[in-house]
Amino acid sequence: MDCCVCTTMPLILRPPRNTICGACYEGARNMINMMNNLQSDEKAKAITNTNTSQLSKQNTTKTIDDCIRWCSELIDMFNQQKEELAYLSGFVVAFKEQIHTDIFVNPGINGSPIPAHKFVLATRSEIFKNMLECDDCKSSPNNTITIPDLNHEELESLLEFLYSGTLPTQTLEKHVYTLSRAADKYIIPHLLKHCERHLLSSLNISNALETLDVADSCSNHNLKETTLNFLVKNFEHVVSSTKFEAFVHRSPHLTVQLVTRAFANGAK
Ligand SMILES: [Zn+2]
């Protein structure tokens, strides 16, 4: 069919050159619907008592031109946020170059203390804030606190995250389980969410049991449910893996939950 939108040679089309193929029609409708949905979500959030049916009526007159304008507004907003993020993550330079540090953070096992800034620790974690305010820390001659559950490398990654709000993928991959537990223990919700996103996107048969352990110990309902469902779907592969036996000994309560769900699913 001649389509005036997706053809590579619009000039060869017969006049009035206004026919459009099914794919282009569907694409245009979907684009307009997506914009309407996102905009009514935004408006509904902004105006709590607004009648949403009124909103959708207002939005039905949108055109593709509106979509393009809306996309370019979003791109501007995105670029502005990128600049703001780069500005805020500039704190990490003060950490890496040890500029005016005022506290030493000791890892639990081995390793030398890491210089950091009290205000970063205190603003990123309520627990760290309390630790810094306790008398032991104040009276400590070297101004130190100890994070007993992390080794030197893990602690360095945690601190880097507190300064920059993100981590290189390789670092995250290597320490994601330890960092998830630390985020839960020291109440750092942004890190917990960051780890959750990584764990969900990298979920596979070889790491699912460890992910389930972490999700359970951090009381992360969403991650636990997704992982349990994934394990049930791949139950045969999981039970025959070498890691399963260790998992049964390590987490008998999770084994019961997993097996019960797998059998209930099989019975259906
Ligand atoms: Zn087309």
Side-chain angles (χ1 to χ4, degrees), residues 96-114:
K96 287 193 171 162
E97 295 177 10
Q98 300 182 8
I99 302 167
H100 296 301
T101 53
D102 54 5
I103 183 123
F104 286 105
V105 190
N106 281 318
I109 344 147
N110 305 324
S112 47
I114 302 173

Side-chain angles (χ1 to χ4, degrees), residues 233-248:
K233 219 191 257 174
N234 299 283
F235 195 63
E236 274 176 44
H237 293 288
V238 173
V239 287
S240 56
S241 74
T242 48
K243 287 181 173 181
F244 189 67
E245 203 179 319
F247 173 77
V248 174

Side-chain angles (χ1 to χ4, degrees), residues 3-7 20-25:
C3 174
C4 63
V5 177
C6 63
T7 181
I20 177 168
C21 73
C24 286
Y25 174 78

Side-chain angles (χ1 to χ4, degrees), residues 34-44 59 62 70:
M34 185 181 75
M35 181 180 69
N36 281 340
N37 290 340
L38 289 171
Q39 284 193 334
S40 40
D41 277 357
E42 273 169 30
K43 280 184 190 167
N59 287 330
K62 292 282 191 302
W70 177 68

